Each structure stands twice: as structure tokens, then as C-alpha cells.
């Protein structure tokens, strides 16, 4: 009696007649593996899985995400707090991105250790190096998208470093930012690059990598003792890959469910925020502390060029047939030294932050703010809130006849920022703020009318009712505030603070900021008022920074500075107001 084939078999046969899918499947699963299946070969499939997971979760997140400074943070907060399963999906996307960096580095390290870049596999290795660069590009562009404090200031530091590269630095920075500041245009460019350009690039390179791998055939184990034994990818290697991928996914799922992806308050460009990059960029960040001024080009330009140059050129220089790591002691030692150094720099950066009381307290406060925001219920944005134009009742001597700019301030800003601009219950102090944060006139003028902060009941209103001329006058006035405004019924001068001497600009500004506001190194405001910081002490510190037992990685001496330069620098430092 004749029985009919199952429906699934009929469908597969029907599909095969039109697509030849059976032949393609056999060609994929029948890949010969010299030396047999091994756990050391699971990284390629794991990277493919993580890339797929990034695409799937990224598509879900893109359904809700709004790439603009006004709404990006609110849309991410909505995903995290209001969308069913949104926190889990975002957590998977966040943690799988970290896992992807770890796995691709492990894959390259294992390939290097096994000498699998030899014997006509040069292009295969080079494409793998390019894919590492693309994955790091994913990490850098994706870091900005939540538009919280960490994302904003971390990206600002990163783009500033990119701008220090000779010749192309300023052009490169302007292309990345879409101007001179981090704005909605920057966010839009990073989003487009993260969601469209980089996935296309990684997908293309993955296809080329797979094609070259199938042409070159698996290299096998470095000892080549089992070369006579050949197994197909299916079933043993596929089973090992599946088990490892399942373990990775289970781990990511557990972490995403128990430790929500980080999200802090919305980016505030005027905030006094201590920026720290994610762990995979911490080695570079730590190295910057040891190379002040123009020497910063060594870790920012020189070291990456040497590292990636060595990666790309390695198979063209190392053509020896020997693959055993113990018989290649120099190569193995270099790999071990690179990994240990990177981990050591990460640990050292964390240790120095914990050891420095000022940094420790600031970072602890920022972490507490992040946790508080993450645990707070979602607050929808309020668009188009009405803003009163009636001057507030502020405690100012009515006999005072202030300037036009002061009157604009008193009518619109003093209720929150205080009658003397020294801070109120709702707004921060504006004294020295513009200078510390390096804000420009155009930026402040635009910020007053349509800033990027979430227009919630507790945020700053958007003063679109002011004319362009009024906003510009107010912005210019804020730029020049360096002391309380009113004393004995008279408006004080708001003259710009004294410019730093040339010695500071040349030797100190890269780490401590253009005006002492802090960057890689701490802020210098009020440094002369700290214990053991008289002018003589500061002069001695310039001769030997370790003389007072400081843990700061400031250079031990500045031999290029003359005595007159040091004196001018110390006199300027002594005039800096405390924050």
C-alpha cells in the first residue's frame, strides 16, 4: 500500500525544487574540520549569534526610539520603564554588545595563539581585524543614543580626543559632531551610523569572512597531531557551538533580567559631571593621564596605529610555518603582555577613582542619581507647556536700577537661579558656569529658547517668548558672570575672568580643561585654598608632583617651563574662584 509523504516533507521538496536549499544546507553542514571538532572553535558561531541578537533587539528598540535631543532620553526611559518587556530587550541589547567585544577579542587572540593566520589565510585575518574596528564603532556610536549624562559627557570626551589628531582631527571632529557642539544633529548622525552604516558594513565583512574561511578551510589545531582525522561540522561541532551559544544566551538573559541596563538622568550640558568611558575604552583613558599636553598624541594616535597596524600586517611578516605557541615565545609573550596590560590599566583606573576622595564622592553621587532615576516611575513629556512672562517677586532692593540684561534675568530666571544668580531651590548657580562648561554665545542663545532637556514640571522652561535680541543679550551677560550680581543695591561687574597664561595652555589645558574646569585631570578651581597648597607649595608641585605624596598621575616635573612661566601659572591658579 502506498503512503503519502508528510506535509513538511512535501513543503521542503517543493521549496528545494525552487531554491536548492537542500544542497546549500549540506554544503554548510558538511564543512570538513581538520583534527576534529573542538570547543576552541565556538567563537565564530557565537559572534554570528550575538550579531543576530543585536539586530533583533535593535529593531525592537528602534520602533520606540526618537533620535533627537528633545526626545531621545524620554523614548529610552519609556522603553525601560513603560513598554512590557522593554527593560529585558534593552538589557539584552546592552549586555550582548559588551559580550560581542569580549568574544571577538577572544576569537582574535585564539586565532593568533594557534597561528591560524598563516598558510594563505592572510585576508581572512585582515577581515577579522576590520570587523573588530567595526564592532568598536558600534560600541562608540551606540553609547551616545540614550542621551543621559554618562552618554553625553563620555561621547564629548571621545570626540574631543578625536579632534586632537593632527591635520585631520578638527575636520573629523566636525564631521562626527555635525558642528562644534553635541546637538541633535550629532545624535542623528550617530544613530544613522549605528543603525544603518555599521550593520551593513559588519554584515558585508561577515559574508566575505565566511567565504574566505570556506576557501581556506579550517586551519586545525596548532600541534597538527590529529590532521589525519577529519570531521564534518555536523553533528559534533554544531552541537558544541549550540551548547556554548545557549550558555551565552542564558547568561545574558539572566543578567538582563536581574541587573537592568544603566540609564541616568537626561544629559545636561551645564552639569558638573565627572565623565568616565565604558570599560573597553578605559585603558586608553588611563594612558592619557600619563601623557599630558602634546604627548597625548602617543596614546590617542600612536598606540592605536601601532596596535592595529601590527594586527593587519602580522600575517605578511610572520610567514614561518611554525604554529605552536610555545615555539613562538615572542608572539605569545606579546599577546599575554597586551591582555595583561589592558586589564591592569582598567583595574588601575578603577582603583585611582576609589582612592581619590573627590572623584570617589562625585562618582558615588552620580551612581546614586542613576539608580534614583532608573527606579523612579516613568514621567511622560509635557509638550507646549505655558510659560509665565510676569516678573517674579525676588528679594532685590527695589531701588536697584540694573542693566537691561539684569532686568531680563530678574523677570525670567531669578525665581529658579536666585536673585544673585548664585543658585536657588530649582536652578543651579550661574556664576562661572558658562566659563567652566566652555559654553558659547550661540549655544546659550539657542539653549534659552529651545534646549534639549525634557520639559517636565521640574525642568527649565523654554523661553521662546523672548526675542532673539533679548536671548542674545541674556546669553552674553551669563557668559561674563564671575561673581554675585547685586551688592548694596548696585549691580556688580560681570567681567570675564583673567585668561590663563600661555604656559598653562601649552602644558596643562589638555588634562585640566581650557580654563581649569577639569577634563582628564581634576578641576583646579579653589586649588590654592586647599590644605598645603600655598603659592610656594604649588611651585614645588610643578618641580615634583610626588613631593607631597599625591596619587594623581600628573607628570613628575615640567622641565620645559621656565621659572617665570611657573610663577605666572601659580599666580593665575591662585586667582581661580572655587566652584
Amino acid at each position: 500500500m502506498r503512503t503519502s509523504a508528510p506535509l513538511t516533507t512535501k513543503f521542503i521538496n517543493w521549496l528545494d525544487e525552487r531554491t536548492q536549499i537542500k544542497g546549500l544546507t549540506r554544503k554548510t553542514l558538511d564543512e570538513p574540520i581538520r583534527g576534529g571538532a573542538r570547543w576552541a572553535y565556538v567563537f565564530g558561531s557565537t559572534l554570528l549569534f550575538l550579531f543576530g541578537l543585536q539586530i533583533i533587539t535593535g529593531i525592537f528598540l528602534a520602533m520606540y526610539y526618537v533620535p533627537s535631543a528633545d526626545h531621545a532620553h524620554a523614548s529610552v526611559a519609556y522603553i525601560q520603564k513603560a513598554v512590557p518587556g522593554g527593560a529585558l530587550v534593552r538589557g539584552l541589547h546592552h549586555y550582548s554588545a559588551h559580550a560581542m567585544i569580549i568574544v571577538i577579542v577572544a576569537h582574535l587572540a585564539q586565532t593568533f595563539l594557534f597561528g591560524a593566520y598563516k598558510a594563505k589565510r592572510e585576508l581572512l585575518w585582515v577581515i577579522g581585524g576590520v570587523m573588530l574596528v567595526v564592532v568598536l564603532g558600534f560600541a562608540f556610536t551606540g553609547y551616545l543614543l540614550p542621551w543621559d549624562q554618562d552618554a553625553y559627557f563620555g561621547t564629548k570626551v571621545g570626540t574631543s580626543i578625536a579632534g586632537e589628531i593632527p591635520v585631520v582631527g578638527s575636520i573629523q571632529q566636525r564631521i562626527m559632531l555635525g558642528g562644534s557642539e553635541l546637538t541633535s544633529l550629532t545624535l542623528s548622525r550617530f544613530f544613522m551610523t549605528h543603525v544603518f552604516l555599521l550593520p551593513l558594513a559588519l554584515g558585508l565583512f561577515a559574508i566575505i569572512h565566511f567565504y574566505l574561511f570556506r576557501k581556506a578551510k579550517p586551519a586545525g589545531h596548532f600541534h597538527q597531531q590529529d590532521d589525519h582525522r577529519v570531521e564534518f561540522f555536523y553533528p559534533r561541532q554544531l552541537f558544541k557551538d549550540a551548547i556554548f551559544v545557549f550558555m551565552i544566551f542564558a547568561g545574558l538573559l539572566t543578567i538582563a533580567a536581574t541587573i537592568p541596563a544603566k540609564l541616568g538622568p537626561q544629559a545636561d550640558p551645564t552639569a558638573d559631571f565627572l565623565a568616565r568611558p565604558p570599560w573597553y575604552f578605559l585603558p586608553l583613558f588611563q594612558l592619557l593621564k600619563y601623557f599630558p599636553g602634546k604627548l597625548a598624541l602617543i596614546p590617542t594616535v600612536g598606540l592605536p596605529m601601532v596596535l592595529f597596524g601590527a594586527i593587519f600586517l602580522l600575517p605578511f611578516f610572520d610567514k614561518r610555518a611554525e604554529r605552536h605557541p610555545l615555539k613562538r615565545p615572542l608572539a605569545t609573550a606579546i599577546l599575554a603582555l597586551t591582555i595583561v596590560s589592558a586589564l591592569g590599566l582598567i583595574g588601575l583606573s578603577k582603583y585611582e577613582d576609589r582612592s581619590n576622595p573627590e572623584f570617589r564622592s562625585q562618582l558615588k553621587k552620580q551612581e546614586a542619581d542613576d539608580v534614583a532615576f532608573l527606579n523612579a516611575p516613568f514621567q511622560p513629556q509635557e509638550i507646549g507647556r505655558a510659560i509665565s512672562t510676569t516678573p517674579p517677586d525676588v528679594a532685590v532692593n527695589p531701588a536697584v536700577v540694573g542693566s537691561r540684561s539684569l532686568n531680563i534675568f530678574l523677570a525670567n530666571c531669578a525665581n529658579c537661579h536666585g536673585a544673585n544668580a548664585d543658585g536657588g531651590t530649582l536652578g543651579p548657580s550661574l556664576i562661572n558656569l558658562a566659563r567652566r562648561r566652555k559654553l558659547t554665545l550661540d549655544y546659550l542663545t539657542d539653549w534659552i529658547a529651545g534646549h534639549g532637556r525634557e520639559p517636565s514640571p521640574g525642568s527649565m522652561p523654554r523661553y521662546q517668548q523672548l526675542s532673539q535680541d533679548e536671548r542674545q543679550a541674556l546669553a552674553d551677560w551669563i557668559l561674563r558672570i564671575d561673581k554675585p550680581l547685586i551688592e548694596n543695591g548696585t549691580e556688580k561687574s560681570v567681567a570675564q575672568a583673567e585668561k590663563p597664561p600661555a604656559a598653562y595652555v601649552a602644558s596643562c589645558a589638555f588634562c585640566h580643561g581650557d580654563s581649569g574646569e577639569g577634563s582628564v585631570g581634576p578641576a583646579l578651581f579653589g586649588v590654592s585654598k586647599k590644605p598645603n597648597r600655598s603659592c610656594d607649595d604649588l611651585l614645588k608641585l610643578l618641580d615634583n608632583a610626588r613631593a607631597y605624596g599625591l596619587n594623581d598621575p600628573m607628570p613628575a616635573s615640567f622641565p620645559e617651563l621656565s621659572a617665570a612661566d611657573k610663577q605666572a601659572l601659580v599666580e593665575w591658579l591662585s586667582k581661580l574662584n572655587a566652584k
Side-chain angles (χ1 to χ4, degrees):
M1 182 176 178
R2 200 171 180 183
T3 58
S4 60
L7 185 60
T8 54
T9 303
K10 288 183 177 180
F11 174 74
I12 292 174
N13 290 335
W14 177 87
L15 190 63
D16 183 57
E17 289 176 357
R18 291 155 178 80
T19 63
Q20 302 297 311
I21 191 171
K22 288 183 178 180
L24 181 62
T25 303
R26 280 195 299 269
K27 186 175 291 188
T28 303
L29 297 179
D30 290 348
E31 172 193 341
I33 302 175
R34 191 170 65 181
R38 296 181 186 275
W39 288 106
Y41 303 156
V42 300
F43 295 123
S45 297
T46 305
L47 281 171
L48 188 62
F49 164 76
L50 290 173
F51 182 42
L53 184 61
Q54 286 278 286
I55 291 176
I56 294 170
T57 54
I59 290 173
F60 174 85
L61 296 175
M63 292 179 181
Y64 296 91
Y65 184 73
V66 181
S68 75
D70 283 345
H71 308 298
H73 184 265
S75 64
V76 176
Y78 180 70
I79 295 170
Q80 186 76 31
K81 300 179 180 184
V83 176
L88 182 63
V89 173
R90 181 170 177 260
L92 283 172
H93 190 79
H94 174 80
Y95 290 114
S96 62
H98 291 264
M100 199 168 183
I101 294 174
I102 295 172
V103 173
I104 195 170
V105 170
H107 188 34
L108 282 170
Q110 178 256 326
T111 303
F112 177 84
L113 200 62
F114 280 26
Y117 55 85
K118 302 183 178 186
K120 299 181 181 179
R121 292 181 176 82
E122 299 92 345
L123 291 179
L124 184 62
W125 169 264
V126 169
I127 293 297
V130 173
M131 292 171 72
L132 172 62
V133 175
V134 175
V135 169
L136 291 175
F138 266 116
F140 182 68
T141 53
Y143 191 67
L144 177 66
L145 301 187
W147 201 251
D148 60 1
Q149 295 281 63
D150 271 327
Y152 180 90
F153 286 98
T155 304
K156 190 170 185 178
V157 171
T159 53
S160 297
I161 291 173
E164 296 296 324
I165 299 174
V167 184
V168 300
S170 59
I171 299 175
Q172 176 180 265
Q173 184 184 34
R174 192 166 187 84
I175 292 173
M176 293 170 69
L177 295 177
S180 58
E181 298 286 346
L182 273 172
T183 62
S184 284
L185 184 56
T186 311
L187 191 60
S188 178
R189 291 190 178 196
F190 274 56
F191 177 74
M192 184 272 294
T193 304
H194 187 78
V195 173
F196 295 104
L197 296 184
L198 292 179
L200 284 174
L202 190 59
L204 176 63
F205 287 127
I207 293 172
I208 296 173
H209 191 73
F210 181 76
Y211 171 78
L212 293 173
F213 177 76
R214 295 304 297 265
K215 292 291 290 184
K217 308 296 182 186
H221 201 274
F222 60 80
H223 56 56
Q224 300 179 341
Q225 295 174 358
D226 300 326
D227 281 2
H228 62 280
R229 181 165 62 93
V230 176
E231 291 183 353
F232 292 115
F233 179 77
Y234 176 84
R236 291 190 66 213
Q237 189 61 52
L238 179 61
F239 176 76
K240 292 179 184 292
D241 287 6
I243 292 296
F244 191 76
V245 165
F246 175 78
M247 291 171 59
I248 293 291
F249 181 66
L252 292 173
L253 200 61
T254 302
I255 296 173
T258 55
I259 308 175
K262 189 177 180 181
L263 182 65
Q266 178 164 332
D268 178 4
T270 65
D272 186 13
F273 190 84
L274 188 59
R276 288 294 180 267
W279 63 268
Y280 38 84
F281 290 133
L282 269 181
L284 177 60
F285 173 80
Q286 183 65 18
L287 283 174
L288 277 171
K289 299 177 182 179
Y290 309 125
F291 296 90
K294 295 181 180 180
L295 292 179
L297 294 176
I298 294 175
T300 57
V301 180
L303 186 61
M305 287 182 63
V306 170
L307 180 61
F308 284 100
I311 289 175
F312 294 137
L313 297 177
L314 174 67
F316 302 102
F317 285 98
D318 185 9
K319 297 183 177 181
R320 295 182 305 149
E322 181 58 60
R323 293 174 51 202
H324 199 296
L326 297 181
K327 295 179 181 179
R328 297 157 51 225
L330 179 60
T332 304
I334 291 174
L335 175 64
L337 180 63
T338 302
I339 295 175
V340 171
S341 297
L343 294 176
L345 288 169
I346 293 173
L348 185 60
S349 179
K350 297 288 186 182
Y351 172 77
E352 288 182 353
D353 280 342
R354 289 195 301 269
S355 301
N356 186 307
E358 184 180 352
F359 289 176
R360 183 174 65 245
S361 60
Q362 177 70 12
L363 290 171
K364 188 175 181 180
K365 178 184 179 299
Q366 291 172 188
E367 290 174 4
D369 291 342
D370 291 347
V371 172
F373 178 84
L374 198 58
N375 292 334
F378 175 71
Q379 185 174 3
Q381 286 185 298
E382 296 183 17
I383 308 299
R385 179 175 54 162
I387 302 171
S388 173
T389 59
T390 304
D393 182 19
V394 295
V396 179
N397 189 329
V400 173
V401 180
S403 66
R404 174 173 177 252
S405 300
L406 175 61
N407 291 334
I408 296 173
F409 171 83
L410 294 176
N412 296 278
C413 318
N415 258 351
C416 294
H417 294 281
N420 285 333
D422 54 357
T425 55
L426 296 178
S429 170
L430 300 178
I431 299 171
N432 283 328
L433 182 142
R435 182 162 55 88
R436 288 203 315 269
R437 305 312 312 170
K438 294 185 285 189
L439 306 181
T440 64
L441 178 65
D442 290 342
Y443 178 87
L444 271 175
T445 303
D446 294 339
W447 173 270
I448 292 169
H451 56 81
R453 297 204 46 192
E454 181 180 346
S456 62
S459 72
M460 174 178 154
R462 296 173 179 172
Y463 289 96
Q464 295 173 330
Q465 76 276 13
L466 296 178
S467 68
Q468 175 71 12
D469 180 61
E470 289 172 328
R471 292 197 299 268
Q472 190 165 5
L474 181 59
D476 177 68
W477 182 78
I478 292 173
L479 280 173
R480 295 180 287 114
I481 299 174
D482 68 350
K483 63 185 78 172
L485 306 176
I486 297 172
E487 187 178 83
N488 298 325
T490 305
E491 181 184 2
K492 285 187 176 182
S493 168
V494 290
Q496 183 80 13
E498 182 181 344
K499 291 184 178 180
Y504 176 86
V505 175
S507 302
C508 315
F510 184 85
C511 290
H512 294 286
D514 292 341
S515 302
E517 71 278 7
S519 179
V520 176
L524 298 177
F525 294 104
V527 68
S528 62
K529 297 178 176 61
K530 295 182 179 180
N532 299 323
R533 296 296 189 277
S534 67
C535 288
D536 288 340
D537 291 319
L538 292 176
L539 282 171
K540 291 177 182 178
L541 280 172
L542 290 175
D543 293 327
N544 184 1
R546 299 330 193 255
Y548 293 89
L550 297 180
N551 293 322
D552 302 303
M554 194 170 90
S557 62
F558 289 91
E560 70 277 10
L561 295 182
S562 66
D565 284 339
K566 292 178 182 178
Q567 186 65 39
L569 202 159
V570 168
E571 288 178 1
W572 179 77
L573 288 174
S574 66
K575 296 176 184 178
L576 284 182
N577 295 326
K579 286 185 180 180

